[in-house]
Amino acid sequence: MKDFRKKQQRPKKSSLVYGRAAVLQALEQGEGLDRIYLDQQLNDAVVGEIRRLAAAKAVPVNYVPAVKLAHFNVGTHEGVIAQKSRIVYQDLQDLISFTIENGEVPLFLILDGITDVRNIGGIARTAWCCGVQAIIIPDKGVGALNEDAILTSAGALEKIPVCRVSSLMKAVDELHLNGITVFASAMEASQPVAKADLSVPAAIIMGSEEKGIYPALLKICDARISIPMQNNFESLNVSVATGIILYEAMKQRMP
């Protein structure tokens, strides 16, 4: 039987910018780009400028074989294709400052290694409903916040602020500097989520179902929390697990 869950749709041409001059212009004009795909064989002055501007504007660059670019079916792309973003990414420190100055207790969500865009969409929907002020994602190793993710989120991804950072390790350091406690969701943790104090300024890290949270990232967290289960099972779906934890955080914060 065909597994429809793994089917990936080709991005609409209207969501793409292709050709060296067009992508370079999009970067120079500050157009929102989700990521750039570069033919891994290219190495010239124009491509170097695209890479430089992409790094300066925190736009991820994927170096791919030519056959991957052909999959987009956009004709003459000159080895460079960029995907437009419907998400306006925010600066982490700006969001922390805004949240605190607005009189709110920070509740942030960090996604580590979650690649399924439908899970990301479902997580964003729950996060918005539970009062999360920001979602933090790495620039690599996470599913694209594309039309499928936005559709699955019922538009929540266009409402909740998203921070895209070059390093989750550095993001956690920045959260710590601002007095925010970082909790990691881990199956082996001895502390049940209901026993953790999630009413404090907090950030919660959710890892992928397959690999969990990156070990070095897990090591610098302040506390680890788990979800008790009546029957032993390998793991919960990450979107479901996120919903359980965020609901507990919301419940603790309600008057």
Side-chain angles (χ1 to χ4, degrees):
M1 183 179 293
K2 186 181 292 186
D3 187 354
F4 290 96
R5 294 171 299 178
K6 294 184 179 180
K7 184 179 179 181
Q8 294 183 347
Q9 295 183 347
R10 181 184 292 130
K12 295 180 181 179
K13 287 186 179 180
S14 60
S15 71
L16 300 174
V17 180
Y18 46 94
R20 299 185 184 193
V23 173
L24 188 59
Q25 184 180 46
L27 285 167
E28 290 172 340
Q29 295 180 350
E31 185 174 343
L33 299 178
D34 189 68
R35 66 187 58 241
I36 297 171
Y37 298 90
L38 277 178
D39 187 327
Q40 60 191 16
Q41 300 297 325
L42 296 180
N43 187 19
D44 54 45
V46 176
V47 170
E49 181 64 8
I50 289 173
R51 293 168 59 184
R52 186 189 69 79
L53 284 174
K57 297 178 182 294
V59 178
V61 176
N62 288 18
Y63 300 94
V64 299
V67 66
K68 169 72 174 180
L69 295 174
H71 170 75
F72 289 97
N73 193 28
V74 293
T76 305
H77 51 70
E78 301 175 305
V80 185
I81 298 176
Q83 190 162 5
K84 297 178 185 177
S85 174
R86 287 173 58 182
I87 308 298
V88 179
Y89 295 104
Q90 309 291 337
D91 179 77
L92 178 56
Q93 183 58 60
D94 288 346
L95 277 174
I96 295 171
S97 300
F98 176 81
T99 301
I100 295 171
E101 290 168 6
N102 206 36
E104 300 177 22
V105 179
L107 177 60
F108 295 162
L109 181 63
I110 303 173
L111 305 184
D112 178 30
I114 299 175
T115 56
D116 189 298
V117 295
R118 293 169 182 81
N119 273 334
I120 293 172
I123 287 170
R125 188 172 184 173
T126 301
W128 177 251
C129 292
C130 291
V132 170
Q133 294 109 344
I135 295 176
I136 303 167
I137 62 171
D139 60 4
K140 296 179 181 177
V142 69
L145 304 191
N146 56 21
E147 292 183 2
D148 284 344
I150 292 171
L151 182 63
T152 308
S153 77
L157 274 170
E158 294 179 298
K159 297 178 182 291
I160 190 167
V162 179
C163 295
R164 185 169 63 187
V165 298
S166 60
S167 167
L168 289 182
M169 300 282 287
K170 292 180 180 178
V172 168
D173 287 341
E174 194 163 356
L175 292 166
H176 281 154
L177 288 172
N178 284 274
I180 296 174
T181 302
V182 180
F183 295 89
S185 172
M187 283 190 64
E188 70 279 4
S190 59
Q191 183 180 31
V193 60
K195 298 294 184 181
D197 184 4
L198 301 177
S199 65
V200 301
I204 298 165
I205 305 180
M206 301 299 300
S208 70
E209 295 167 40
E210 296 80 15
K211 298 181 180 179
I213 297 170
Y214 182 59
L217 186 61
L218 190 62
K219 190 174 181 180
I220 63 173
C221 292
D222 300 293
R224 303 180 189 185
I225 53 178
S226 61
I227 300 172
M229 291 188 283
Q230 185 69 36
N231 297 309
N232 291 329
F233 201 67
E234 185 177 349
S235 69
L236 289 167
N237 169 271
V238 66
S239 179
V240 173
T242 304
I244 293 170
I245 292 173
L246 292 182
Y247 180 79
E248 177 61 34
M250 181 183 71
K251 187 175 70 172
Q252 291 185 17
R253 290 160 177 254
M254 293 176 70

